[in-house]
Amino acid sequence: MSTRRTSHAWHLLLAPLTLAFALPLVWLLLSSVMSDAEINRFPPALWPDGIHLGGYRYVLGNAMFPRWFLNSLIVSTVAVASNLLFGALGGYAFARMRFGGSRLVLGLMLATMVVPFQLTMIPTFLVMKWFGLIDTLGALIVPSLVTPFAVFLFRQFFLSLPREMEEAAWIDGCSRLRVLFSIVLPLARPALATVAVLTFLTAWNDLSWPLIAINHDTQYTLQLGLTTFQGQHHTKWSAVMAGNVITVLPVLIAFLLAQKTFVQSLTSSGIKG
Protein backbone atom coordinates (compact mmCIF):
# COMPACT_ATOMS: atom_id res chain seq x y z
CA MET A 1 0.00 0.00 0.00
CA SER A 2 2.82 2.41 0.87
CA THR A 3 4.51 1.69 -2.46
CA ARG A 4 1.31 2.51 -4.32
CA ARG A 5 0.89 5.77 -2.38
CA THR A 6 4.50 6.72 -3.18
CA SER A 7 3.87 6.01 -6.86
CA HIS A 8 0.75 8.20 -6.83
CA ALA A 9 2.68 10.98 -5.09
CA TRP A 10 5.34 10.87 -7.79
CA HIS A 11 2.63 11.04 -10.46
CA LEU A 12 1.19 14.15 -8.81
CA LEU A 13 4.63 15.74 -9.00
CA LEU A 14 5.54 14.58 -12.51
CA ALA A 15 2.21 15.46 -14.16
CA PRO A 16 2.65 19.27 -13.82
CA LEU A 17 6.29 18.97 -14.89
CA THR A 18 5.27 16.99 -17.96
CA LEU A 19 2.70 19.63 -18.83
CA ALA A 20 5.26 22.41 -18.39
CA PHE A 21 7.74 20.67 -20.71
CA ALA A 22 5.01 19.95 -23.27
CA LEU A 23 3.69 23.51 -23.43
CA PRO A 24 6.37 24.83 -25.85
CA LEU A 25 5.70 21.94 -28.23
CA VAL A 26 1.93 22.51 -28.04
CA TRP A 27 2.41 26.23 -28.62
CA LEU A 28 4.63 25.50 -31.62
CA LEU A 29 2.00 23.20 -33.12
CA LEU A 30 -0.83 25.67 -32.54
CA SER A 31 1.20 28.58 -33.93
CA SER A 32 1.96 26.64 -37.10
CA VAL A 33 -1.76 26.55 -37.98
CA MET A 34 -2.37 30.21 -37.12
CA SER A 35 -2.36 33.07 -39.56
CA ASP A 36 0.41 35.67 -39.41
CA ALA A 37 -2.08 38.20 -38.04
CA GLU A 38 -2.98 35.91 -35.13
CA ILE A 39 0.68 35.25 -34.29
CA ASN A 40 1.55 38.96 -34.36
CA ARG A 41 -1.49 39.94 -32.30
CA PHE A 42 -0.92 41.47 -28.87
CA PRO A 43 -1.81 39.98 -26.51
CA PRO A 44 -1.05 36.77 -28.42
CA ALA A 45 -3.84 34.41 -29.35
CA LEU A 46 -3.82 31.22 -27.28
CA TRP A 47 -5.98 29.27 -29.71
CA PRO A 48 -6.28 29.62 -33.51
CA ASP A 49 -9.53 30.94 -34.91
CA GLY A 50 -9.30 28.23 -37.55
CA ILE A 51 -6.88 25.84 -39.20
CA HIS A 52 -4.63 27.87 -41.50
CA LEU A 53 -2.19 25.75 -43.53
CA GLY A 54 -0.63 28.65 -45.40
CA GLY A 55 2.61 28.29 -43.47
CA TYR A 56 2.95 24.62 -44.42
CA ARG A 57 2.13 25.34 -48.06
CA TYR A 58 4.71 28.12 -48.10
CA VAL A 59 7.41 25.91 -46.57
CA LEU A 60 6.75 22.85 -48.71
CA GLY A 61 6.50 25.07 -51.79
CA ASN A 62 10.00 26.34 -51.15
CA ALA A 63 12.20 24.53 -53.68
CA MET A 64 15.08 24.07 -51.22
CA PHE A 65 13.17 22.84 -48.18
CA PRO A 66 12.55 19.27 -49.47
CA ARG A 67 16.22 19.11 -50.48
CA TRP A 68 17.31 20.12 -46.98
CA PHE A 69 15.02 17.49 -45.49
CA LEU A 70 16.52 14.84 -47.77
CA ASN A 71 20.07 15.89 -46.88
CA SER A 72 19.32 15.59 -43.16
CA LEU A 73 17.68 12.23 -43.72
CA ILE A 74 20.70 10.92 -45.64
CA VAL A 75 23.21 12.13 -43.05
CA SER A 76 21.16 10.84 -40.10
CA THR A 77 20.42 7.46 -41.69
CA VAL A 78 24.06 6.80 -42.59
CA ALA A 79 25.18 7.90 -39.12
CA VAL A 80 22.68 5.55 -37.44
CA ALA A 81 23.59 2.57 -39.64
CA SER A 82 27.36 3.06 -39.26
CA ASN A 83 27.16 3.55 -35.48
CA LEU A 84 25.09 0.39 -35.11
CA LEU A 85 27.59 -1.61 -37.16
CA PHE A 86 30.92 -0.21 -36.00
CA GLY A 87 29.70 0.45 -32.45
CA ALA A 88 28.57 -3.17 -32.10
CA LEU A 89 31.87 -4.48 -33.50
CA GLY A 90 33.93 -2.25 -31.20
CA GLY A 91 31.75 -2.89 -28.16
CA TYR A 92 31.89 -6.65 -28.66
CA ALA A 93 35.66 -6.57 -29.03
CA PHE A 94 36.09 -4.65 -25.76
CA ALA A 95 33.54 -6.83 -23.94
CA ARG A 96 34.66 -10.29 -25.02
CA MET A 97 38.22 -10.05 -26.34
CA ARG A 98 41.29 -9.45 -24.23
CA PHE A 99 44.28 -7.95 -25.97
CA GLY A 100 47.30 -5.95 -24.89
CA GLY A 101 46.37 -2.40 -23.92
CA SER A 102 42.62 -2.96 -24.31
CA ARG A 103 41.77 -1.12 -21.11
CA LEU A 104 44.11 1.72 -22.00
CA VAL A 105 42.58 2.04 -25.47
CA LEU A 106 39.09 1.97 -23.95
CA GLY A 107 40.04 4.64 -21.42
CA LEU A 108 41.56 6.89 -24.07
CA MET A 109 38.49 6.45 -26.27
CA LEU A 110 36.14 7.33 -23.43
CA ALA A 111 38.31 10.34 -22.54
CA THR A 112 37.49 11.81 -25.95
CA MET A 113 33.86 12.06 -24.86
CA VAL A 114 34.71 14.95 -22.53
CA VAL A 115 36.67 16.89 -25.16
CA PRO A 116 34.58 19.89 -26.29
CA PHE A 117 33.68 20.13 -29.97
CA GLN A 118 35.39 23.52 -30.14
CA LEU A 119 38.78 21.85 -29.58
CA THR A 120 38.35 19.31 -32.37
CA MET A 121 36.57 21.61 -34.81
CA ILE A 122 39.68 22.96 -36.59
CA PRO A 123 41.52 19.59 -36.85
CA THR A 124 38.35 17.95 -38.17
CA PHE A 125 37.89 20.72 -40.71
CA LEU A 126 41.50 20.37 -41.90
CA VAL A 127 41.13 16.60 -42.26
CA MET A 128 37.90 16.95 -44.21
CA LYS A 129 39.52 19.59 -46.41
CA TRP A 130 42.48 17.29 -47.06
CA PHE A 131 40.02 14.59 -48.20
CA GLY A 132 38.21 17.13 -50.38
CA LEU A 133 34.90 16.67 -48.57
CA ILE A 134 34.22 20.25 -47.48
CA ASP A 135 30.90 21.55 -48.80
CA THR A 136 29.64 18.01 -49.39
CA LEU A 137 27.48 15.68 -47.32
CA GLY A 138 30.57 13.53 -46.83
CA ALA A 139 31.98 16.17 -44.49
CA LEU A 140 28.94 15.64 -42.25
CA ILE A 141 28.89 11.84 -42.55
CA VAL A 142 32.52 10.83 -42.05
CA PRO A 143 33.09 12.43 -38.58
CA SER A 144 29.94 10.73 -37.26
CA LEU A 145 30.50 7.21 -38.63
CA VAL A 146 31.15 5.91 -35.12
CA THR A 147 31.11 7.55 -31.70
CA PRO A 148 32.78 6.51 -28.41
CA PHE A 149 29.37 6.54 -26.74
CA ALA A 150 28.02 3.89 -29.12
CA VAL A 151 31.02 1.62 -28.49
CA PHE A 152 30.76 2.13 -24.73
CA LEU A 153 27.02 1.47 -24.57
CA PHE A 154 27.32 -1.71 -26.62
CA ARG A 155 30.20 -2.88 -24.45
CA GLN A 156 28.22 -2.38 -21.26
CA PHE A 157 25.22 -4.22 -22.68
CA PHE A 158 27.29 -7.13 -23.97
CA LEU A 159 28.91 -7.50 -20.54
CA SER A 160 25.45 -8.03 -19.06
CA LEU A 161 24.76 -10.99 -21.39
CA PRO A 162 25.69 -14.54 -20.28
CA ARG A 163 28.59 -16.15 -22.11
CA GLU A 164 27.12 -19.68 -22.19
CA MET A 165 25.27 -19.32 -25.52
CA GLU A 166 28.31 -17.79 -27.18
CA GLU A 167 30.59 -20.54 -25.87
CA ALA A 168 28.19 -23.20 -27.17
CA ALA A 169 28.25 -21.56 -30.59
CA TRP A 170 32.07 -21.44 -30.54
CA ILE A 171 32.16 -25.18 -29.77
CA ASP A 172 29.90 -25.75 -32.80
CA GLY A 173 32.46 -23.96 -34.96
CA CYS A 174 30.90 -20.49 -35.29
CA SER A 175 33.24 -17.58 -35.80
CA ARG A 176 33.14 -14.53 -33.57
CA LEU A 177 31.41 -12.48 -36.27
CA ARG A 178 28.73 -15.11 -36.75
CA VAL A 179 28.20 -15.32 -32.99
CA LEU A 180 27.86 -11.55 -32.84
CA PHE A 181 25.39 -11.20 -35.70
CA SER A 182 23.41 -14.41 -35.16
CA ILE A 183 23.23 -14.68 -31.38
CA VAL A 184 24.35 -11.55 -29.56
CA LEU A 185 22.78 -8.74 -31.61
CA PRO A 186 19.27 -10.31 -31.62
CA LEU A 187 19.46 -10.13 -27.81
CA ALA A 188 20.72 -6.54 -27.90
CA ARG A 189 17.62 -4.86 -29.31
CA PRO A 190 17.41 -2.37 -26.39
CA ALA A 191 21.00 -1.27 -26.95
CA LEU A 192 20.47 -1.10 -30.71
CA ALA A 193 17.37 1.06 -30.27
CA THR A 194 19.10 3.35 -27.79
CA VAL A 195 22.14 3.92 -29.99
CA ALA A 196 19.90 4.42 -33.04
CA VAL A 197 17.69 7.01 -31.32
CA LEU A 198 20.51 8.99 -29.71
CA THR A 199 22.59 8.96 -32.89
CA PHE A 200 19.61 10.07 -34.93
CA LEU A 201 18.85 12.89 -32.51
CA THR A 202 22.46 14.09 -32.55
CA ALA A 203 22.86 13.93 -36.33
CA TRP A 204 19.44 15.41 -37.07
CA ASN A 205 19.77 18.33 -34.66
CA ASP A 206 23.42 19.17 -35.36
CA LEU A 207 23.89 22.78 -36.43
CA SER A 208 27.43 23.79 -35.43
CA TRP A 209 29.37 21.43 -37.68
CA PRO A 210 27.19 21.89 -40.82
CA LEU A 211 27.47 25.65 -40.30
CA ILE A 212 31.25 25.31 -40.57
CA ALA A 213 31.59 22.58 -43.20
CA ILE A 214 28.82 23.52 -45.64
CA ASN A 215 28.73 26.67 -47.76
CA HIS A 216 26.35 25.99 -50.65
CA ASP A 217 22.63 25.97 -49.93
CA THR A 218 22.04 22.77 -51.94
CA GLN A 219 24.09 20.87 -49.32
CA TYR A 220 22.36 22.41 -46.29
CA THR A 221 20.84 20.14 -43.69
CA LEU A 222 17.38 20.92 -42.39
CA GLN A 223 18.66 22.63 -39.25
CA LEU A 224 21.05 24.85 -41.18
CA GLY A 225 18.51 25.58 -43.87
CA LEU A 226 15.84 26.38 -41.32
CA THR A 227 18.18 28.86 -39.63
CA THR A 228 18.75 30.76 -42.88
CA PHE A 229 15.06 30.38 -43.76
CA GLN A 230 14.06 31.94 -40.46
CA GLY A 231 16.45 34.83 -40.98
CA GLN A 232 15.03 35.52 -44.43
CA HIS A 233 11.38 35.14 -43.45
CA HIS A 234 11.26 36.63 -39.96
CA THR A 235 7.98 38.42 -40.67
CA LYS A 236 6.18 35.28 -41.92
CA TRP A 237 6.03 33.51 -38.59
CA SER A 238 3.48 30.91 -39.68
CA ALA A 239 6.01 29.55 -42.19
CA VAL A 240 8.77 29.61 -39.58
CA MET A 241 6.59 27.71 -37.10
CA ALA A 242 5.55 25.19 -39.76
CA GLY A 243 9.20 24.60 -40.65
CA ASN A 244 10.03 23.98 -37.00
CA VAL A 245 7.17 21.49 -36.67
CA ILE A 246 8.40 19.56 -39.71
CA THR A 247 11.90 19.56 -38.22
CA VAL A 248 10.80 18.34 -34.78
CA LEU A 249 8.32 15.70 -36.01
CA PRO A 250 10.86 13.00 -37.10
CA VAL A 251 12.72 13.34 -33.80
CA LEU A 252 9.51 13.00 -31.79
CA ILE A 253 8.37 9.97 -33.79
CA ALA A 254 11.77 8.26 -33.42
CA PHE A 255 11.79 8.74 -29.67
CA LEU A 256 8.19 7.55 -29.18
CA LEU A 257 8.78 4.41 -31.25
CA ALA A 258 11.87 3.44 -29.25
CA GLN A 259 10.79 4.68 -25.83
CA LYS A 260 10.32 1.27 -24.16
CA THR A 261 13.54 -0.24 -25.48
CA PHE A 262 15.37 2.99 -24.65
CA VAL A 263 14.38 2.77 -20.98
CA GLN A 264 15.09 -0.96 -20.91
CA SER A 265 18.60 -0.41 -22.21
CA LEU A 266 19.38 2.27 -19.63
CA THR A 267 18.19 -0.01 -16.79
CA SER A 268 20.02 -3.12 -18.02
CA SER A 269 23.36 -1.59 -19.11
CA GLY A 270 24.89 -0.91 -15.72
CA ILE A 271 28.50 0.14 -15.31
CA LYS A 272 30.65 -2.99 -15.30
CA GLY A 273 34.37 -3.48 -15.40
Side-chain angles (χ1 to χ4, degrees):
M1 181 66 68
S2 60
T3 304
R4 183 176 299 179
R5 289 178 179 176
T6 304
S7 177
H8 290 167
W10 274 110
H11 288 165
L12 291 176
L13 174 64
L14 293 177
L17 291 176
T18 303
L19 181 61
F21 282 115
L23 279 177
L25 185 61
V26 173
W27 170 250
L28 176 65
L29 182 61
L30 291 177
S31 299
S32 69
V33 295
M34 290 182 182
S35 64
D36 291 324
E38 289 179 284
I39 297 176
N40 293 324
R41 183 187 305 169
F42 186 83
L46 298 179
W47 193 263
D49 295 334
I51 304 298
H52 302 277
L53 300 179
Y56 288 95
R57 285 192 292 266
Y58 190 91
V59 168
L60 297 178
N62 187 308
M64 298 306 301
F65 203 88
R67 177 64 180 269
W68 298 337
F69 190 94
L70 179 61
N71 289 342
S72 287
L73 189 61
I74 292 173
V75 172
S76 301
T77 302
V78 175
V80 169
S82 63
N83 272 273
L84 292 179
L85 175 61
F86 297 129
L89 291 173
Y92 188 73
F94 282 116
R96 292 292 190 253
M97 301 172 64
R98 290 292 178 263
F99 51 90
S102 60
R103 289 188 176 273
L104 176 62
V105 173
L106 179 63
L108 292 175
M109 182 191 67
L110 295 180
T112 63
M113 296 175 61
V114 301
V115 178
F117 168 73
Q118 290 78 5
L119 293 181
T120 62
M121 177 178 61
I122 295 178
T124 304
F125 182 87
L126 294 177
V127 171
M128 293 300 104
K129 184 179 180 180
W130 186 79
F131 280 114
L133 296 177
I134 293 299
D135 207 19
T136 68
L137 294 183
L140 308 181
I141 292 174
V142 172
S144 59
L145 285 178
V146 63
T147 60
F149 175 78
V151 176
F152 176 71
L153 185 64
F154 275 118
R155 173 187 180 270
Q156 296 307 116
F157 194 89
F158 292 154
L159 287 175
S160 68
L161 298 178
R163 292 175 175 263
E164 285 75 12
M165 290 183 295
E166 299 173 54
E167 293 172 350
W170 293 336
I171 294 175
D172 290 338
C174 292
S175 64
R176 286 191 179 274
L177 284 178
R178 186 173 180 183
V179 170
L180 172 62
F181 288 105
S182 300
I183 298 176
V184 177
L185 284 184
L187 300 175
R189 285 191 295 268
L192 290 170
T194 301
V195 171
V197 170
L198 294 181
T199 303
F200 182 82
L201 292 178
T202 302
W204 185 269
N205 292 325
D206 189 17
L207 174 62
S208 301
W209 177 238
L211 187 62
I212 297 168
I214 302 299
N215 299 317
H216 200 274
D217 58 356
T218 58
Q219 303 298 320
Y220 281 1
T221 59
L222 192 57
Q223 294 292 340
L224 182 56
L226 188 63
T227 301
T228 60
F229 181 87
Q230 181 172 340
Q232 296 169 357
H233 303 82
H234 60 280
T235 57
K236 196 168 183 60
W237 285 108
S238 59
V240 173
M241 296 299 180
N244 280 282
V245 170
I246 296 175
T247 304
V248 170
L249 193 59
V251 174
L252 186 61
I253 293 175
F255 182 78
L256 291 178
L257 289 177
Q259 182 179 8
K260 289 184 178 180
T261 51
F262 180 82
V263 175
Q264 182 181 352
S265 174
L266 295 181
T267 56
S268 61
S269 300
I271 304 299
K272 298 186 178 181

